[in-house]
Amino acid sequence: RHGSLALETKTSTRVDSTRVQIHGPDQLLAPADARLYLAHLRIEPAGGAPLSVAALRREIIGSGADELILDTSLAALGCQEPEGDEWNHTTFSHEALDFYEVVDGFPRIVSSSFPENALPDGIVGLEYGLDLTHARDYRLGEAASQEMIRSFAS
């Protein structure tokens, strides 16, 4: 989240993938004072491709991120050696990135989808698949995507 923008990101490892997994009824619920966007990144495994943990770490640090904070966050995810072979034996190519504005009408399940704005009694969790071909009307065009990225990064 950055100011009045919130971004939920999903990654698929097939260029033709249109489905993402949603974890919980509030994952696609915008914060009260922000607009929510869904980013769908599609990458594919490819030997010698430019995307790896090490390369992304170097790029993030080169963009001004604090190295200690980044490494601490990676370690919390189990990545103690972000430059090591264990985390970099597979590399990926960036295939596509689409952004969607998550507003009323976007296909999703949120708390307000249920009576009393809560999961039914006895239901303790909710995960579902979302086919983004049903969200085409909410997909941002190139210019709107670039503007959203600039706003998020500024």
Side-chain angles (χ1 to χ4, degrees):
R1 177 168 177 177
H2 182 74
S4 64
L5 299 177
L7 183 64
E8 182 65 45
T9 303
K10 296 296 183 178
T11 303
S12 300
T13 55
R14 288 181 48 113
V15 70
D16 60 350
S17 177
T18 62
R19 294 183 180 182
V20 295
Q21 244 354 78
I22 306 302
H23 304 278
D26 295 328
Q27 190 169 34
L28 293 181
L29 182 64
D33 56 346
R35 291 189 332 258
L36 177 63
Y37 294 90
L38 173 66
H40 183 213
L41 172 64
R42 288 178 310 288
I43 59 177
E44 287 205 339
L51 293 180
S52 67
V53 171
L56 290 172
R57 177 184 171 273
R58 288 190 295 270
E59 186 175 332
I60 291 167
I61 292 168
S63 296
D66 183 286
E67 184 174 356
L68 180 60
I69 292 172
L70 179 58
D71 286 347
T72 300
S73 297
L74 288 170
L77 296 171
C79 180
Q80 304 293 331
E81 299 287 334
E83 296 286 333
D85 288 341
E86 177 185 1
W87 291 93
N88 295 285
H89 66 276
T90 302
T91 56
F92 299 88
S93 62
H94 173 253
E95 299 296 331
L97 176 61
D98 294 315
F99 293 96
Y100 300 82
E101 187 169 15
V102 181
V103 294
D104 287 343
F106 186 90
R108 62 187 171 155
I109 299 171
V110 292
S111 294
S112 62
S113 302
F114 302 100
E116 300 179 24
N117 295 324
L119 291 174
D121 288 343
I123 305 298
V124 295
L126 174 70
E127 291 187 17
Y128 61 97
L130 170 60
D131 183 347
L132 291 169
T133 61
H134 296 276
R136 287 188 180 144
D137 292 345
Y138 303 92
R139 188 171 151 214
L140 301 183
E142 185 63 30
S145 293
Q146 291 303 318
E147 179 57 33
M148 190 275 301
I149 292 168
R150 275 191 294 279
S151 297
F152 198 81
S154 64

